[in-house]
Amino acid sequence: MIKTFDVVIVGAGGAGLRAAVEIPKEYSCAVISKVYPPRSHTGTAQGGVCAALGNMEDDSWENHAFDTVKGSDYLGDQDSIEVMCRDAIRAIIELEHMGMPFSRNEKGQIAQRKFGGHTKPADPNDPYSNRLPVMRSCYSADRTGHVMLHTLFENSIKNQVTFFSEYFATDLLIENGVCKGVVAMDIATSELTVFQAKSVLFATGGNGRIFRITSNAHVGTGDGMALVYRAGLPLEDMEFYQFHPTGLWKLGILVSEAARGEGGILKNSSGERFMERYAPTVKDLAPRDMVSRAIITEIREGRGIRGSDGTDYVYLDVSHLGKELIDEKLPEITGFARTYLGVEPTKEPIPIQPTAHYAMGGIPTNADCEVLMNEMGETVKGLYAAGECACVSVHGANRLGTNSLLDLVVFGRRGGKAIAEFLKHADFQPVDESAADNSRRIIDAVMNSTGGEKIAALRTELQNSMMELCGVFRNEEGLKKMIEILGGLRERSRSVSIQDKGKVFNTELLGALELQNMLDNAEATVFGAYARNESRGAHTREDHPKRDDVNWMKHTFAFRKNSSYPELKYKPVVVTRYQPMERKY
Amino acid sequence: MDVQLKILRYNPEKDTEPYFQDFTVRGVSDDWRLLDVLQEIKWKMDGTLTYRFSCAHGICGSDGMKINGRNRLACSLLLKDLNTNKPITVEPLPSLPIIKDLVVDMSSFYDKYEVVKPYLINNTPPPPNGERLQSNEDAEKLFESAKCILCACCTTSCPSTWTNENYLGPAAMLKAYRFIYDTRDEAGNERMDILDTPDGIWRCHTIFNCIEACPKEINITWHLSQLKKKISSREI
Ligand SMILES: Cc1cc2nc3c(=O)[nH]c(=O)nc-3n(C[C@H](O)[C@H](O)[C@H](O)COP(=O)(O)OP(=O)(O)OC[C@H]3O[C@@H](n4cnc5c(N)ncnc54)[C@H](O)[C@@H]3O)c2cc1C
Ligand code: SF4
Ligand code: SF4
Ligand code: FES
């Protein structure tokens, strides 16, 4: 079946829906999503979305940009960061106008609170003076992502977007540098549809499921990145994967930084507030990469607590904040601790450990969300990406908390605008039913395979080894080993077979397709990490502990090759006003 | 420990009628979510078992199902909170058509949601450079209803839904509350007209099933009764 739309957006999280809202009504717009839109991962975001509104204290977008550049460990492209931080204020006000319910301050304005890595200079005239935490994160209790996702879903309904919910994208159609559409499978029937489109925007979210402990939903298998990668386009900076310091022990469910923003503190086995040693000024509110390393270091040096599952954790203590504040500002996350660990956060500390959280890397784009086809910055006509699956790059080597939800609305809108502009002169490219052949071949291979390899076994091995060998700390030996493991998994994945041979809602088939996508994501991640002989942001090489600005102020572009080794190329970082300096907090 | 389950199975490609299938899952512990048990079955025992899931911590609303006779989220229910001495019964949400096993067709649920105009309507231009002001008190009045994750546990547990498939149901009306009580919204009357119909708010007989089903512990009936009061008091 062929369906034709001016725009097809793949992904109905914050980025996809924000783009959809921007498409003028005269163009037909389809949004494809493998889950119902309000079930997208954006809904799990808790802490907040930042903008220098200055509702609680003086602040400026320049402060925000400085923090983002520094937080990125100078790998973020400063021109794009300026675009984002400057536009943040308008973007948040716009969400409010769309109906998003925010918590409010006494003046009735959007309330703001502190969040890791967000600071302002003690001397407003000197950005290099001592920096103190600032209230910049706008929030709605600890359900910010949930209400944002719902608000955008509501506005897409108002905008009469056509939804294809529970459709799974299986292929991206590109010819001679021009995008022609995508192929997607209706999960309810397994039928393949060719979506012919003048423009396609990917907003498929992250890939945290390639790691064992993750805050990401099960849908976070990096599908969009994999489709782009397989279409011969590069993935950028995939080695930069953020581990959030505070995941619930064993489960990885996130305990938002908002808990520390409100005054929660991290403690080791002897009850010491260890962050004082690692980040004397901002302490528990240091950026995530630093806090995650600090936690693992505490554990390695014997100051963690051994859990019943054999893994170690430290504590996040919010009990001193009082029941009232906890119930008002952190109801959801303290509820998780209660439900899943049986811990009462108003009385006792919460066991936590770092959890795989956010992909800084992804599909390379420029600030108008146009997808780059190479490290020279040439773009694919008609193809766009936004949100966590994209890499602009505004987050560089380490994303600051609350900057992702912001990224979604700023770049989702910019993508929508760029598409609207593009559509004024764009034409459909010819496609026919055969465009689905490639997807059909892959699906038939899985359905007919008698190979006997199990999805779960391969997936678990991938997740365990990525966690161990390509996690918070990495080194050459481990990464080499990971490359070997990956090769083996790739080989075995060809003989995956499934029990469900039906066409109706075949989630086992989806599992097999997602596994392929995860392997592609892991490949780009591991090879990027292996090549990068330095430590920067979330990428920490024990054998190369220093940041190397002479050789590595550049973005990795990984291209899939038919051999098992991707080809790596590099693109210099854009530096405008902030010269790299040592990152101390 | 081991647990036993009785799961309602239905594959339209093979079965004429839904039927119960027994499973014994070994080596579980009481801090497992029911979802973990289903995953254990799906990925290790029977790959054809079909259900929805995503976030695994009660925030996306995917895995509403009827567990031991009550609508719950499989990811928010731990084994220790169930009686594991006898088989745990797992069925799809009632009153929606079954697509396969525990997966139901959600389209009528979403259609009803759209009926109440689930988006802010305000035709007065907002301040050019700032937010519309709202007191925190007024904002917080919306939070409980805005917590809804559209899991359909309430609507499908409601006896009024069972007897009248056109009944809007608690989830859609809760959404209407979310906007009617938003100080920034101007379409309260329009929405109240939609609720003030035979298939609307008056079909709610305050039976409380919905509250018991709601995994987000939203006091749905309270919200609906506020709406009833507001709607009846607007009449002259
Ligand atoms: C627990 C948690 C808390 C967080 N808290 C915060 C926070 O407080 N502040 C902040 O700024 N950031 C936060 N983040 C990060 C932020 O929430 C995410 O980065 C962001 O929501 C991603 O949004 P997205 O629109 O890019 O993708 P998602 O919301 O993940 O949506 C992806 C969409 O793509 C669709 N999709 C994927 N693959 C396919 C396919 N093959 N076919 C069809 N559709 C597909 C999915 O169905 C979904 O609709 C948090 C993240 C987590 C995990
Ligand atoms: S209180 Fe109303 S909506 Fe809730 S179950 Fe009863 S009749 Fe249904
Ligand atoms: S009100 Fe509660 S039960 Fe009903 S859909 Fe919303 S979250 Fe689910
Ligand atoms: S899987 Fe998301 S609510 Fe249960």
Side-chain angles (χ1 to χ4, degrees), chain B residues 4-7 20 34 65-72 77-79 81-92 212:
Chain B
Q4 286 168 340
L5 294 95
K6 257 184 153 20
I7 303 180
F20 278 103
L34 188 72
M65 52 188 79
K66 195 165 155 189
I67 302 163
N68 282 349
R70 227 181 103 183
N71 290 357
R72 331 273 293 254
L77 187 60
L78 304 196
L79 288 181
D81 300 316
L82 282 162
N83 177 1
T84 46
N85 295 322
K86 53 177 197 137
I88 302 164
T89 330
V90 185
E91 300 162 81
E212 224 179 272

Short mmCIF file of all heavy atoms in Angstrom, two decimals, chain B residues 4-7 20 34 65-72 77-79 81-92 212:
data_model
loop_
_atom_site.label_atom_id
_atom_site.label_comp_id
_atom_site.label_asym_id
_atom_site.label_seq_id
_atom_site.Cartn_x
_atom_site.Cartn_y
_atom_site.Cartn_z
N GLN B 4 2.01 -19.05 39.64
CA GLN B 4 1.15 -19.59 38.60
C GLN B 4 0.25 -18.50 38.07
O GLN B 4 -0.19 -17.62 38.83
CB GLN B 4 0.31 -20.72 39.18
CG GLN B 4 1.17 -21.93 39.37
CD GLN B 4 0.51 -23.00 40.19
OE1 GLN B 4 -0.44 -22.73 40.93
NE2 GLN B 4 1.01 -24.19 40.06
N LEU B 5 0.05 -18.52 36.78
CA LEU B 5 -0.83 -17.53 36.17
C LEU B 5 -1.85 -18.23 35.30
O LEU B 5 -1.58 -19.29 34.73
CB LEU B 5 -0.04 -16.56 35.29
CG LEU B 5 0.95 -15.65 36.00
CD1 LEU B 5 2.34 -16.26 35.99
CD2 LEU B 5 0.97 -14.28 35.36
N LYS B 6 -2.99 -17.57 35.21
CA LYS B 6 -4.03 -17.98 34.26
C LYS B 6 -4.20 -16.79 33.35
O LYS B 6 -4.68 -15.75 33.78
CB LYS B 6 -5.35 -18.15 35.04
CG LYS B 6 -5.75 -19.55 35.35
CD LYS B 6 -7.12 -19.48 36.04
CE LYS B 6 -7.94 -20.72 35.86
NZ LYS B 6 -7.31 -21.94 35.48
N ILE B 7 -3.78 -16.93 32.11
CA ILE B 7 -3.80 -15.77 31.22
C ILE B 7 -4.81 -15.98 30.11
O ILE B 7 -4.84 -17.05 29.49
CB ILE B 7 -2.40 -15.52 30.63
CG1 ILE B 7 -1.37 -15.31 31.75
CG2 ILE B 7 -2.41 -14.30 29.70
CD1 ILE B 7 0.03 -15.07 31.28
N PHE B 20 -8.50 -19.51 28.67
CA PHE B 20 -7.44 -19.32 29.66
C PHE B 20 -6.33 -20.33 29.46
O PHE B 20 -6.59 -21.51 29.22
CB PHE B 20 -8.00 -19.45 31.08
CG PHE B 20 -8.66 -18.19 31.55
CD1 PHE B 20 -10.05 -18.07 31.58
CD2 PHE B 20 -7.89 -17.11 31.96
CE1 PHE B 20 -10.66 -16.90 32.01
CE2 PHE B 20 -8.49 -15.94 32.41
CZ PHE B 20 -9.88 -15.83 32.43
N LEU B 34 4.51 -7.60 38.03
CA LEU B 34 3.79 -8.59 37.23
C LEU B 34 4.27 -8.51 35.78
O LEU B 34 4.39 -9.52 35.08
CB LEU B 34 2.28 -8.37 37.29
CG LEU B 34 1.55 -9.52 36.61
CD1 LEU B 34 1.63 -10.79 37.43
CD2 LEU B 34 0.12 -9.18 36.31
N MET B 65 -4.39 -3.82 32.40
CA MET B 65 -5.02 -5.12 32.17
C MET B 65 -5.77 -5.52 33.44
O MET B 65 -5.62 -4.88 34.47
CB MET B 65 -3.99 -6.17 31.76
CG MET B 65 -2.79 -6.29 32.65
SD MET B 65 -1.50 -7.38 31.95
CE MET B 65 -0.68 -6.33 30.76
N LYS B 66 -6.57 -6.56 33.32
CA LYS B 66 -7.38 -6.97 34.47
C LYS B 66 -6.65 -8.08 35.20
O LYS B 66 -6.46 -9.17 34.65
CB LYS B 66 -8.73 -7.44 33.97
CG LYS B 66 -9.79 -7.57 35.03
CD LYS B 66 -11.14 -7.66 34.35
CE LYS B 66 -12.16 -8.37 35.22
NZ LYS B 66 -13.39 -8.64 34.44
N ILE B 67 -6.21 -7.76 36.40
CA ILE B 67 -5.39 -8.70 37.16
C ILE B 67 -6.16 -9.11 38.41
O ILE B 67 -6.54 -8.25 39.21
CB ILE B 67 -4.05 -8.05 37.54
CG1 ILE B 67 -3.31 -7.59 36.26
CG2 ILE B 67 -3.19 -9.01 38.35
CD1 ILE B 67 -2.21 -6.61 36.48
N ASN B 68 -6.40 -10.37 38.56
CA ASN B 68 -7.24 -10.86 39.65
C ASN B 68 -8.53 -10.05 39.77
O ASN B 68 -8.93 -9.62 40.85
CB ASN B 68 -6.49 -10.85 40.99
CG ASN B 68 -5.54 -12.04 41.11
OD1 ASN B 68 -5.60 -12.95 40.28
ND2 ASN B 68 -4.69 -12.02 42.11
N GLY B 69 -9.13 -9.79 38.62
CA GLY B 69 -10.44 -9.15 38.61
C GLY B 69 -10.43 -7.65 38.70
O GLY B 69 -11.48 -7.02 38.68
N ARG B 70 -9.23 -7.04 38.84
CA ARG B 70 -9.19 -5.59 38.98
C ARG B 70 -8.31 -4.98 37.90
O ARG B 70 -7.24 -5.53 37.61
CB ARG B 70 -8.61 -5.26 40.35
CG ARG B 70 -9.39 -4.23 41.11
CD ARG B 70 -8.72 -3.97 42.45
NE ARG B 70 -7.99 -2.71 42.37
CZ ARG B 70 -7.23 -2.24 43.37
NH1 ARG B 70 -7.08 -2.92 44.48
NH2 ARG B 70 -6.63 -1.09 43.23
N ASN B 71 -8.71 -3.86 37.36
CA ASN B 71 -7.88 -3.21 36.34
C ASN B 71 -6.66 -2.57 36.99
O ASN B 71 -6.79 -1.74 37.89
CB ASN B 71 -8.67 -2.12 35.62
CG ASN B 71 -9.75 -2.69 34.72
OD1 ASN B 71 -9.86 -3.91 34.60
ND2 ASN B 71 -10.53 -1.83 34.10
N ARG B 72 -5.50 -2.94 36.52
CA ARG B 72 -4.25 -2.39 37.08
C ARG B 72 -3.22 -2.27 35.96
O ARG B 72 -3.41 -2.81 34.88
CB ARG B 72 -3.63 -3.33 38.12
CG ARG B 72 -4.53 -4.22 38.90
CD ARG B 72 -5.03 -3.52 40.11
NE ARG B 72 -3.96 -3.27 41.08
CZ ARG B 72 -3.83 -3.96 42.21
NH1 ARG B 72 -4.62 -4.98 42.48
NH2 ARG B 72 -2.91 -3.63 43.09
N LEU B 77 2.53 -3.25 39.76
CA LEU B 77 2.01 -4.20 40.72
C LEU B 77 3.10 -5.23 41.01
O LEU B 77 3.57 -5.91 40.10
CB LEU B 77 0.79 -4.87 40.09
CG LEU B 77 -0.03 -5.79 40.97
CD1 LEU B 77 -0.58 -5.03 42.16
CD2 LEU B 77 -1.18 -6.37 40.16
N LEU B 78 3.51 -5.31 42.26
CA LEU B 78 4.56 -6.27 42.60
C LEU B 78 3.92 -7.57 43.08
O LEU B 78 2.81 -7.57 43.61
CB LEU B 78 5.47 -5.72 43.70
CG LEU B 78 6.15 -4.38 43.45
CD1 LEU B 78 7.30 -4.18 44.45
CD2 LEU B 78 6.71 -4.26 42.04
N LEU B 79 4.65 -8.65 42.90
CA LEU B 79 4.12 -9.94 43.33
C LEU B 79 3.78 -9.95 44.81
O LEU B 79 2.83 -10.58 45.24
CB LEU B 79 5.12 -11.06 43.01
CG LEU B 79 5.26 -11.40 41.53
CD1 LEU B 79 6.25 -12.53 41.35
CD2 LEU B 79 3.90 -11.76 40.92
N ASP B 81 2.39 -7.89 46.47
CA ASP B 81 1.07 -7.31 46.71
C ASP B 81 -0.07 -8.15 46.14
O ASP B 81 -1.21 -7.71 46.07
CB ASP B 81 1.01 -5.89 46.15
CG ASP B 81 2.06 -5.00 46.81
OD1 ASP B 81 2.20 -5.09 48.05
OD2 ASP B 81 2.75 -4.26 46.10
N LEU B 82 0.28 -9.35 45.69
CA LEU B 82 -0.73 -10.27 45.16
C LEU B 82 -0.69 -11.55 45.98
O LEU B 82 0.35 -11.90 46.53
CB LEU B 82 -0.40 -10.60 43.71
CG LEU B 82 -0.74 -9.56 42.66
CD1 LEU B 82 0.04 -9.83 41.38
CD2 LEU B 82 -2.23 -9.53 42.37
N ASN B 83 -1.80 -12.24 45.99
CA ASN B 83 -1.80 -13.54 46.63
C ASN B 83 -1.19 -14.55 45.65
O ASN B 83 -1.79 -14.88 44.64
CB ASN B 83 -3.23 -13.92 46.99
CG ASN B 83 -3.30 -15.31 47.60
OD1 ASN B 83 -2.27 -15.98 47.76
ND2 ASN B 83 -4.50 -15.74 47.94
N THR B 84 0.02 -15.02 45.97
CA THR B 84 0.69 -15.91 45.03
C THR B 84 0.48 -17.38 45.38
O THR B 84 1.09 -18.26 44.79
CB THR B 84 2.19 -15.60 44.95
OG1 THR B 84 2.70 -15.45 46.27
CG2 THR B 84 2.46 -14.33 44.16
N ASN B 85 -0.37 -17.62 46.37
CA ASN B 85 -0.67 -19.01 46.71
C ASN B 85 -1.63 -19.65 45.72
O ASN B 85 -1.73 -20.87 45.65
CB ASN B 85 -1.28 -19.10 48.12
CG ASN B 85 -0.26 -18.68 49.15
OD1 ASN B 85 0.93 -18.99 49.01
ND2 ASN B 85 -0.70 -17.94 50.15
N LYS B 86 -2.35 -18.79 45.02
CA LYS B 86 -3.18 -19.35 43.97
C LYS B 86 -2.86 -18.66 42.64
O LYS B 86 -2.18 -17.63 42.64
CB LYS B 86 -4.66 -19.24 44.34
CG LYS B 86 -5.08 -17.84 44.71
CD LYS B 86 -6.58 -17.80 45.01
CE LYS B 86 -7.04 -16.42 44.97
NZ LYS B 86 -7.98 -15.71 44.56
N PRO B 87 -3.31 -19.23 41.53
CA PRO B 87 -2.94 -18.64 40.24
C PRO B 87 -3.43 -17.20 40.12
O PRO B 87 -4.52 -16.86 40.58
CB PRO B 87 -3.65 -19.54 39.23
CG PRO B 87 -3.95 -20.80 39.94
CD PRO B 87 -4.12 -20.46 41.38
N ILE B 88 -2.60 -16.36 39.51
CA ILE B 88 -2.98 -14.97 39.26
C ILE B 88 -3.70 -14.93 37.92
O ILE B 88 -3.17 -15.43 36.92
CB ILE B 88 -1.72 -14.09 39.20
CG1 ILE B 88 -0.92 -14.18 40.51
CG2 ILE B 88 -2.07 -12.65 38.87
CD1 ILE B 88 0.50 -13.67 40.40
N THR B 89 -4.88 -14.36 37.92
CA THR B 89 -5.64 -14.30 36.66
C THR B 89 -5.31 -13.01 35.93
O THR B 89 -5.35 -11.93 36.53
CB THR B 89 -7.16 -14.29 36.93
OG1 THR B 89 -7.40 -15.01 38.12
CG2 THR B 89 -7.93 -14.84 35.79
N VAL B 90 -4.99 -13.12 34.68
CA VAL B 90 -4.67 -11.94 33.88
C VAL B 90 -5.54 -11.92 32.63
O VAL B 90 -5.54 -12.88 31.85
CB VAL B 90 -3.18 -11.93 33.49
CG1 VAL B 90 -2.83 -10.64 32.76
CG2 VAL B 90 -2.28 -12.12 34.70
N GLU B 91 -6.30 -10.84 32.48
CA GLU B 91 -7.19 -10.71 31.33
C GLU B 91 -7.02 -9.32 30.72
O GLU B 91 -6.54 -8.41 31.38
CB GLU B 91 -8.66 -10.84 31.78
CG GLU B 91 -9.02 -12.15 32.45
CD GLU B 91 -10.33 -12.02 33.23
OE1 GLU B 91 -11.40 -12.10 32.60
OE2 GLU B 91 -10.27 -11.80 34.45
N PRO B 92 -7.43 -9.15 29.49
CA PRO B 92 -7.37 -7.81 28.90
C PRO B 92 -8.37 -6.88 29.58
O PRO B 92 -9.28 -7.33 30.27
CB PRO B 92 -7.74 -8.03 27.44
CG PRO B 92 -8.45 -9.34 27.40
CD PRO B 92 -7.93 -10.15 28.53
N GLU B 212 -11.12 3.07 42.12
CA GLU B 212 -10.39 1.89 42.56
C GLU B 212 -9.43 1.41 41.48
O GLU B 212 -8.39 0.86 41.76
CB GLU B 212 -11.38 0.79 42.88
CG GLU B 212 -11.02 0.11 44.17
CD GLU B 212 -12.03 -0.94 44.49
OE1 GLU B 212 -13.03 -0.60 45.14
OE2 GLU B 212 -11.81 -2.08 44.05
#
